[in-house]
Amino acid sequence: MSARIKPSCVDGRLQQVFGAPVAELYETAVDPGTSAALTRALELRSFLALAEEQVARVRDRVHATMAADHDMDDLSADTLRMDAYWLEAALDARNGYRGALDELLRTMPPPGGPSRRVHTTQLTATTTLGQAVTTPAPQRAGTARPRRP
């Protein structure tokens, strides 16, 4: 099954942000004028869908192994430990892809609208001058010399 048709936990948000169902977004993404944000969002969404499928597979395997009707003689601590490692890796991948996609959607300019303005602040440095520097300057300091004809 293609990642394009696998469901993902962010499909609703992508539809809300880009204004079309995910299937249509994938069709639009092949056009030459597609925004980089949409292309990246769909790429991350595909990775996320695969990671979510991995999480579900490991979860289902552990549930089947631990089911009440399962033979207890088939239980193996080593197998369950390995499944725990697999689950941790799959969850880390899922969380990473979801975080990257959230960050992309948060920072991208709104579709079809002007880009967000970036506000910067001018930092100023202040310092206290020592005693030697605080003595008054001579009266003529900083004044222009009179011109001579």
Side-chain angles (χ1 to χ4, degrees), residues 33-87:
T34 303
S35 73
L38 175 59
T39 303
R40 289 185 185 112
L42 291 177
E43 186 175 60
L44 285 168
R45 186 231 167 256
S46 295
F47 294 151
L48 175 63
L50 292 173
E52 288 178 342
E53 181 186 19
Q54 291 172 339
V55 169
R57 282 184 180 184
V58 175
R59 179 203 60 207
D60 294 345
R61 185 170 55 237
V62 170
H63 283 211
T65 301
M66 301 302 291
D69 62 343
H70 194 81
D71 186 5
M72 290 181 107
D73 292 333
D74 291 341
L75 286 177
S76 165
D78 289 337
T79 301
L80 289 172
R81 194 173 303 112
M82 185 57 74
D83 283 337
Y85 291 134
W86 277 98
L87 183 60

Side-chain angles (χ1 to χ4, degrees), residues 124-141:
T124 57
T126 58
T127 183
T128 306
L129 300 175
Q131 179 64 24
V133 181
T134 59
T135 58
Q139 278 193 344
R140 291 192 56 172

Side-chain angles (χ1 to χ4, degrees), residues 1 6 16 32 41 64 84-85 99 103-104 110 112 126 148-149:
M1 183 187 276
K6 291 181 190 305
Q16 179 184 19
Y85 291 134
E103 180 68 15
L104 174 70
T126 58
R148 294 189 183 176

